[in-house]
Each structure stands twice: as structure tokens, then as C-alpha cells.
Amino acid sequence: FPPFGCPTPQVYKALRPHLPGQPGAPAVHGPDAFLAALATGEPRAVAAALWNRLALPAEAEWPALRDVRARLAADPRVLGAMLSGSGSTTFAVVASAADG
């Protein structure tokens, strides 16, 4: 939880459409892919399906958020990390509660 907030209106103002092929916006991600991964109960599938349309604009406005996500992702126990909502809270997916 970074020591700063990301005002939701400011993040939405920075939001741009994430078109297929645009860097950082994989075409296979979205709510349906995430729900399908969640239904499998497999942490690796859930981590691979993480996607937040607000992450790129928030990280563009507050570059320190990229560092937070990168530090989480660098932990060998972490399968995936993502910004929660418009930020600044960032979370990680791990294989089991023992890894958290």
C-alpha cells in the first residue's frame, strides 16, 4: 500500500482505449478471461489473467506504482501482481496462503 493515493477522477481522465496490440494491453485479458481463470481454481491461471484497464493510466500518472508492482513481481513466491482499482493499492497472487 503506497503512501499516496490515486484520485479516481484523475485516473479516469488519463484513461485511453486499450486497443489490441497496444503495449501493455494484451488482447486476451478482460473480465471474461479472468472469471474463466478464477473458475479453474488454479492460482497460476488467475495470475496469468490479471488485468486492470486503469493500471496503465495510473502508472503513467504515478510511475512509482510501476516500481511497487515490479518489486512484488520480483518475489519468487509471486505468480502475478496488479493494481487494485484506480490505485494506489497493489496486490499479488501467490500459490498458497503459506506463500503470502
Side-chain angles (χ1 to χ4, degrees), residues 44-69:
R44 289 188 190 285
V46 171
L50 290 177
W51 180 76
N52 178 350
R53 187 174 186 149
L54 300 177
L56 290 177
E59 290 174 352
E61 294 288 314
W62 296 274
L65 291 173
R66 276 182 252 154
D67 298 334
V68 171
R69 187 159 41 143

